């Protein structure tokens, strides 16, 4: 099963991410790559650099900066592949941001069809 780890530090780093945090994160990535479960990942620019996109009919509307005011901000992501949720939790718990924020674990949808009404109905049987 593939899991997306959403990296959410509790605060912004206006002066840049501290060197020690970068070193710890690089070591964590190296470890999960060595275990063969890390597929990809990366850090994100601050929310002020974001652009939100919506469409109303044929009109595309964009908004600069964060779409919603939120204390929680996504700082990055990692895509891992594990046999169990327990393994994904163990891997996420080792991420340095868990000391200063949160790592959300979200299972990936394997096929878009699984999002449909029939799939939901099948799960209730």
């Amino acid at each position: 099963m593939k899991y997306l780890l959403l990296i959410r530090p509790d605060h912004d780093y206006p002066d840049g991410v501290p060197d020690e945090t970068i070193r710890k994160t690089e070591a964590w990535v190296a470890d999960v790559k060595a275990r063969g479960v890390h597929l990809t990942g990366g850090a994100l620019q601050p929310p002020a650099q974001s652009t939100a996109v919506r469409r109303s009919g044929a009109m595309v509307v964009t908004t600069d900066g964060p779409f919603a005011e939120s204390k929680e901000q996504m700082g990055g992501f990692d895509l891992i592949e594990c046999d169990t949720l327990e393994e994904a939790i163990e891997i996420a718990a080792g991420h340095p941001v868990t000391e200063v924020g949160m790592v959300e674990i979200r299972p990936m949808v394997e096929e878009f069809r699984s999002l449909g009404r029939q799939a939901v109905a099948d799960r209730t049987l």
Side-chain angles (χ1 to χ4, degrees), residues 56-111:
S56 179
M59 183 170 38
V60 175
V61 179
T62 62
T63 305
D64 292 337
F67 177 72
E69 287 297 320
S70 174
K71 194 173 186 183
E72 229 173 51
Q73 299 173 0
M74 190 177 340
F77 72 97
D78 289 281
L79 183 61
I80 60 174
E81 188 164 19
C82 301
D83 292 331
T84 65
L85 175 59
E86 290 74 21
E87 182 183 9
I89 291 170
E90 183 263 323
I91 289 168
H95 196 289
V97 85
T98 59
E99 298 171 6
V100 295
M102 172 181 71
V103 174
E104 179 182 343
I105 302 169
R106 186 92 56 100
M108 298 290 293
V109 172
E110 296 296 326
E111 296 181 24

Side-chain angles (χ1 to χ4, degrees), residues 8-14 18 71 73 100-101:
R8 296 181 175 179
D10 283 344
H11 52 73
D12 195 11
Y13 294 105
K71 194 173 186 183
Q73 299 173 0
V100 295

